[in-house]
Amino acid sequence: MKKEIEIVLITFLVFVLVFIFSVYYVSEENKEAISESAVKYETYIHSKDVWEPAANTHKITRTKKYLEQGVSYVPILMFHNVFPVPQNASELTKSFTIDPKLFESMMDYLHKNGFTPITLKELNEIWKGNLPYPKKPIVLTFDDGDKGVYEYAYPILKKYNFHFVIFLITKYTGMHTNFYMSKDEVKEMLNSGLCEVGTHTRDHVNLKRSPLLTKIYEIKACTNDVKRLLNYTPTSFCYPFGGFDRDSKEILKAYGYTMAATEIPGLANLKDDPLLLPRIRIDGRENLQAFINKVNLKP
């Protein structure tokens, strides 16, 4: 009898602790939801990133084994935000943000020079032989789900009928913030047929530095968030901070992801691991000619 009472008490205590933790977690989420919209532009999610000058992708080279005849290379471009940036903004903000006028000139160049922007889902089908190879394919990706992508980039992309990919930090998608796209804004882009929605973890964490349970939670949670909010199953992913390891790759595969973008500089090709795709970073401090050089890189 005494043992049974002890078991009941222990069970009750565990239940109470779980309940307290759940209440605390929800209250912290709500606090963050309220305060996030009030923080300054300089201190929001990118404050977690360490700024470094953009990689000199003009000098990217491949070893001989990658230069085989018939191997086609595709530039996957890495953007973040598109927004008018004040002159006194930090180098961090300037590096992550493309001025809308510059962005329009970039897209105009792609249009006039015969590039075909496609999604990662389409690229996967092309490499599998299920879709024809388009003329000068290129992939435009936007990390984080910044609101400027909807307000400034999307109208330009729609004007040229360009396909593109957004990678959402899904914790913020359901919130009403000054910095991130809302669920309705994402839905509008998704329903246009131009946009592929990918994920970028739930909380923007470096998976390489995270324990296994955190990796599982972050990938599972962001996948479920997109399914719940958008009635859409994501198959493309982007590693926050470029951090990945074998475990995170295997978890992505288990949750049905077929393509994942890194921050490794270079051109992608069908011989690459589809869950470790290289990209070319587009830096907001660079001019149109730098962009032209990057999209015309040769292996």
Side-chain angles (χ1 to χ4, degrees), residues 48-210:
K48 298 179 185 176
D49 288 298
V50 176
W51 173 80
E52 294 176 359
N56 187 351
T57 47
H58 304 272
K59 295 182 180 178
I60 291 170
T61 57
R62 293 277 187 172
T63 55
K64 270 190 176 181
K65 69 175 183 175
Y66 286 102
L67 300 179
E68 300 169 16
Q69 191 174 3
V71 174
S72 298
Y73 293 85
V74 178
I76 301 175
L77 307 187
M78 176 174 61
F79 294 93
H80 284 81
N81 203 3
V82 179
F83 188 82
V85 186
Q87 287 298 312
N88 62 350
S90 70
E91 290 299 306
L92 176 67
T93 300
K94 289 177 181 177
S95 70
F96 278 117
T97 312
I98 310 294
D99 184 84
K101 290 180 182 176
L102 176 58
F103 185 76
E104 169 117 41
S105 65
M106 291 172 173
M107 298 304 104
D108 186 61
Y109 173 83
L110 295 180
H111 175 70
K112 287 178 177 174
N113 288 274
F115 285 86
T116 307
I118 58 175
T119 64
L120 285 173
K121 189 175 282 192
E122 289 169 329
L123 180 60
N124 186 43
E125 291 301 310
I126 290 164
W127 280 348
K128 290 197 302 189
N130 297 332
L131 286 176
Y133 202 90
K135 182 183 177 185
K136 297 174 78 170
I138 191 168
V139 183
L140 312 175
T141 67
F142 298 84
D143 293 12
D144 300 338
D146 291 305
K147 205 171 190 70
V149 175
Y150 172 78
E151 292 180 341
Y152 292 96
Y154 177 51
I156 296 167
L157 294 163
K158 194 161 51 171
K159 171 184 171 182
Y160 292 108
N161 201 37
F162 281 176
H163 292 194
F164 61 100
V165 184
I166 58 172
F167 294 116
L168 300 177
I169 304 169
T170 60
K171 176 179 182 176
Y172 298 111
T173 307
M175 293 182 183
H176 298 285
T177 79
N178 296 324
F179 304 133
Y180 297 97
M181 290 181 274
S182 69
K183 177 182 71 173
D184 290 339
E185 289 165 346
V186 174
K187 271 187 176 179
E188 181 186 334
M189 294 194 297
L190 181 61
N191 292 338
S192 73
L194 302 175
C195 177
E196 176 186 357
V197 176
T199 55
H200 198 37
T201 71
R202 187 167 197 274
D203 298 289
H204 201 256
V205 301
N206 189 328
L207 295 176
K208 185 177 181 180
R209 298 177 184 173
S210 301

Side-chain angles (χ1 to χ4, degrees), residues 22-62:
S22 301
V23 170
Y24 173 79
Y25 181 79
V26 170
S27 67
E28 287 300 303
E29 290 279 297
N30 289 338
K31 262 196 270 180
E32 194 160 355
I34 294 165
S35 62
E36 195 279 338
S37 60
V39 300
K40 293 179 180 178
Y41 188 85
E42 295 294 327
T43 56
Y44 86 118
I45 197 71
H46 297 317
S47 63
K48 298 179 185 176
D49 288 298
V50 176
W51 173 80
E52 294 176 359
N56 187 351
T57 47
H58 304 272
K59 295 182 180 178
I60 291 170
T61 57
R62 293 277 187 172

Side-chain angles (χ1 to χ4, degrees), residues 1-14:
M1 185 69 180
K2 187 178 178 182
K3 190 174 181 181
E4 290 176 355
I5 292 171
E6 286 177 354
I7 291 171
V8 170
L9 284 172
I10 290 169
T11 305
F12 177 73
L13 284 171
V14 169

